Amino acid sequence: MTVFEQIGQKLKAARESRGLTLGQIYDKTKISTANLQAIEQGDADQLPEAVFCTGVHKRHAGTVGLNGPKFN
C-alpha cells in the first residue's frame, strides 16, 4: 500500500467517523467530489498536479478534524 493510499484511507475513516458525506466535504472545501473520491481511494492518476494535491489534502484533512505534521 502506498503512502497516498494510506492517507486516503485515513481521510475517509475520519470523514465517516464524523458522519460526513463527500457532498458535505465539497460544501466546506469546494474540492470536487470526484477529486475527493480519488483521494480517498488513493488513485493519484485521477488527480491534477502534485502541488494541487498537497493543498487539497490539507483542506480535506482540516475539514475532517485531522491536523498534524503530515497535514500541516
Side-chain angles (χ1 to χ4, degrees):
M1 178 178 298
T2 68
V3 171
F4 194 74
E5 290 168 327
Q6 291 172 351
I7 291 169
Q9 285 183 351
K10 185 176 264 190
L11 290 168
K12 182 176 183 178
R15 176 181 59 77
E16 289 176 341
S17 75
R18 287 165 178 72
L20 297 169
T21 66
L22 288 175
Q24 290 170 309
I25 299 298
Y26 167 78
D27 289 342
K28 293 179 180 197
T29 65
K30 301 305 181 212
I31 301 167
S32 76
T33 55
N35 283 342
L36 291 169
Q37 193 169 32
I39 290 167
E40 289 187 356
Q41 292 173 351
D43 190 357
D45 293 336
Q46 298 302 313
L47 294 169
E49 298 293 323
V51 172
F52 170 82
C53 292
T54 300
V56 167
H57 277 95
K58 287 179 183 178
R59 275 193 296 174
H60 188 174
T63 302
V64 297
L66 293 177
N67 296 310
K70 288 190 176 184
F71 298 107
N72 287 328

